[in-house]
Amino acid sequence: MNQLSIKQVIREHQDKFMSIPGIEGLGQGRLEGKPCITIFVSKSPAELRDQIPDSLEGFPVQIKETGTFQAQPGDLP
């Protein structure tokens, strides 16, 4: 059983992953009906696979190719 919640694990690892070119964001998702960490990428997942583990602190990791994220008008305070 995980000692940290999935949100805590994401916060703990976010800076490390966001420093990797091609990674656009991290979030909580579902994989095969169970909670997972989703890493959103703008590059082909195959290009980043060696930098992204299959799991983080017991939570499975899935990679989703989304393209580049950009703030939309009105999204910022």
Side-chain angles (χ1 to χ4, degrees):
M1 185 102 186
N2 297 310
Q3 297 208 357
L4 296 176
S5 74
I6 194 166
K7 289 180 183 180
Q8 289 170 316
V9 172
I10 291 169
R11 276 194 300 270
E12 186 175 294
H13 293 276
Q14 188 165 1
D15 288 344
K16 175 179 79 172
F17 284 106
M18 292 303 293
S19 70
I20 299 171
I23 293 183
E24 300 296 323
L26 283 79
Q28 182 176 344
R30 294 199 70 74
L31 183 64
E32 298 177 4
K34 297 181 181 177
C36 74
I37 296 170
T38 302
I39 299 181
F40 301 97
V41 300
S42 57
K43 292 183 173 182
S44 164
E47 293 180 51
L48 296 168
R49 182 38 62 198
D50 62 338
Q51 297 177 70
I52 300 172
D54 291 330
S55 66
L56 283 174
E57 301 195 34
F59 292 103
V61 172
Q62 70 175 336
I63 302 172
K64 288 198 173 184
E65 188 173 0
T66 59
T68 304
F69 288 175
Q70 294 182 358
Q72 298 297 310
D75 283 354
L76 301 175

